[in-house]
Amino acid sequence: MNRTSYIIFIFLLVANSYAQQSLTVDYKITFNSQKVENDTIKKHLNKIEDAPEVVKTYSKGIALLSSIKMILNANQNSAVFTGVNQMDNDVNPFESKLAKIMSELETKYYYNIKPNECNKWFKFLNKKYIYKDSISIKNWKITNQSKTIDKYVCYLATTDYVEYVNGKKQLHKVSAWFAPEIPFRFGPRGFYNLPGLILELNFKTLIYTATQIKFHKNSQELEKVPKGEFISKEELSYKIAKLKEERKNN
Amino acid sequence: MKKVLGLTFVALFMMSTTSSNFKKIEDPSFNYDHCFAGAEGYEALGVSLGLDAEAAYAVGNTYFDKCVLEVDFIAGSYWSQ
């Protein structure tokens, strides 16, 4: 039996005998400057006192990420991922906005296993949108690597994150450490459908790490997807390109 | 990618050489050139720091709106005297 089959077997065994019907997971977000590809910007981030003002401002926004908590509420077949603002009221408004945008604080992800879909509800320039996506287990590549996170043995899986910039498709590698012992197939930021809860997600320069897991005997009542205009990633990238052009011409 | 990086450096340079985002009080004008450059700088840096394109644009736009308000306030205060 190969490693992947073994992991799925453990997951199914645990899932069938699992008494807990739902859970709540708190995640913290940290910034991984090692993932910044531009060496000049990396140097500036490491020696912030000599950095240009724009880098200093971003750095302050990044520091505020520690004041943001992300929460996953999950039943067996559905879940919601969103954020909680724990920033002080006297924080600089622009830096606070930076932190909120970087963390997707006001964005919500609604997951369903049956049918397989994830609805990302978000605001862009004060308008509400929904982006629909789905990830199947086949989209994940489960590796042999394992590590322990908070007493749970976790395995590493990777997948590609698709983004459109100026209408062009870009792929980013995302890695997730998931625990088959916790048979809830959900995780942060729209990533799900691994045979176990994602306890750590590496998404571009951000690391989402589970800090607390609370199990509940009963299912939770999860909020439904709010209203919004459906949009694809491609359409959004064209909209942004058009807005940039309009700003230049005004 | 090269264009984005080039833009980043132009924006970073411009922002580090201007002493302030505020226009001098002796020469107030409703000139938003530095607001456009600043917005592009924030967007380009945001992408380099890992933001999605729409998030980077939102940051740039937030900066742009803030900058325009500051220009309007200073120039408006001067000319309304």
Side-chain angles (χ1 to χ4, degrees):
Chain A
M1 186 189 277
N2 67 24
R3 177 62 68 107
T4 307
S5 305
Y6 171 77
I7 288 167
I8 293 172
F9 172 73
I10 295 292
F11 168 76
L12 290 171
L13 194 65
V14 174
N16 278 332
S17 57
Y18 213 73
Q20 310 299 340
Q21 291 299 313
S22 67
L23 52 64
T24 300
V25 188
D26 292 351
Y27 290 90
K28 68 176 184 185
I29 308 174
T30 44
F31 182 78
N32 184 0
S33 59
Q34 296 308 308
K35 290 284 189 165
V36 174
E37 289 176 358
N38 185 302
D39 286 333
T40 305
I41 295 172
K42 215 188 276 191
K43 271 186 207 161
H44 282 314
L45 287 171
N46 287 333
K47 206 177 178 198
I48 203 69
E49 54 275 11
D50 299 335
E53 205 56 43
V54 60
V55 178
K56 281 184 184 168
T57 307
Y58 259 109
S59 179
K60 288 175 190 168
I62 287 167
L64 288 171
L65 290 176
S66 60
S67 301
I68 290 170
K69 182 168 75 169
M70 306 305 288
I71 298 181
L72 176 75
N73 284 304
N75 293 327
Q76 286 291 328
N77 289 316
S78 57
V80 180
F81 180 75
T82 185
V84 174
N85 184 5
Q86 297 174 316
M87 286 187 267
D88 290 333
N89 290 332
D90 58 354
V91 163
N92 176 291
F94 185 56
E95 291 158 17
S96 161
K97 183 87 182 182
L98 266 180
K100 285 178 184 177
I101 292 171
M102 288 190 83
S103 63
E104 287 198 332
L105 176 68
E106 292 167 355
T107 295
K108 296 186 186 192
Y109 290 88
Y110 297 84
Y111 306 95
N112 271 308
I113 299 297
K114 297 169 190 174
N116 178 11
E117 68 181 17
C118 172
N119 287 294
K120 174 182 174 179
W121 178 91
F122 62 102
K123 288 185 205 169
F124 179 65
L125 304 182
N126 295 322
K127 207 173 163 187
K128 296 160 190 172
Y129 293 95
I130 297 172
Y131 164 69
K132 203 182 270 259
D133 194 9
S134 68
I135 303 178
S136 99
I137 182 128
K138 291 178 197 170
N139 296 129
W140 289 99
K141 192 176 173 182
I142 297 175
T143 73
N144 285 332
Q145 291 181 59
S146 66
K147 71 176 182 182
T148 303
I149 299 176
D150 190 27
K151 83 188 177 213
Y152 295 103
V153 175
C154 297
Y155 296 92
L156 177 64
T158 60
T159 190
D160 286 326
Y161 172 73
V162 176
E163 186 180 14
Y164 282 88
V165 179
N166 296 326
K168 286 182 190 165
K169 191 173 170 178
Q170 287 182 3
L171 294 179
H172 301 275
K173 197 65 101 193
V174 172
S175 60
W177 293 90
F178 69 96
E181 280 174 74
I182 310 176
F184 288 83
R185 288 188 273 186
F186 306 106
R189 197 146 181 165
F191 293 93
Y192 70 111
N193 238 344
L194 277 166
L197 180 72
I198 296 175
L199 295 187
E200 183 185 303
L201 180 83
N202 289 271
F203 176 82
K204 294 190 180 181
T205 52
L206 297 181
I207 306 174
Y208 293 78
T209 312
T211 55
Q212 183 174 255
I213 305 172
K214 281 186 202 159
F215 296 97
H216 314 293
K217 279 192 179 158
N218 300 317
S219 293
Q220 298 178 70
E221 195 165 333
L222 301 175
E223 58 174 294
K224 303 266 185 272
V225 185
K227 286 185 183 169
E229 182 187 322
F230 282 94
I231 195 166
S232 70
K233 281 184 181 176
E234 231 176 324
E235 284 166 345
L236 186 58
S237 86
Y238 284 128
K239 192 184 268 290
I240 292 165
K242 194 179 166 191
L243 285 166
K244 283 185 185 178
E245 206 53 49
E246 283 170 6
R247 191 168 67 194
K248 263 189 210 169
N249 295 334
N250 279 342
Chain B
M1 186 64 186
K2 277 184 186 172
K3 197 178 173 183
V4 169
L5 286 176
L7 211 57
T8 308
F9 289 123
V10 166
L12 287 174
F13 175 75
M14 283 181 71
M15 297 197 81
S16 59
T17 52
T18 51
S19 57
S20 160
N21 288 335
F22 290 82
K23 301 295 279 182
K24 290 183 194 170
I25 198 69
E26 303 87 48
D27 182 30
S29 61
F30 291 94
N31 187 322
Y32 306 120
D33 287 351
H34 64 289
C35 297
F36 288 107
E40 290 191 353
Y42 271 97
E43 276 171 41
L45 182 54
V47 169
S48 298
L49 292 175
L51 264 63
D52 280 356
E54 72 269 17
Y57 180 84
V59 171
N61 203 57
T62 304
Y63 171 80
F64 181 78
D65 289 347
K66 171 173 143 355
C67 182
V68 162
L69 277 174
E70 284 167 0
V71 169
D72 287 351
F73 176 74
I74 289 175
S77 300
Y78 179 83
W79 291 110
S80 66
Q81 286 170 11

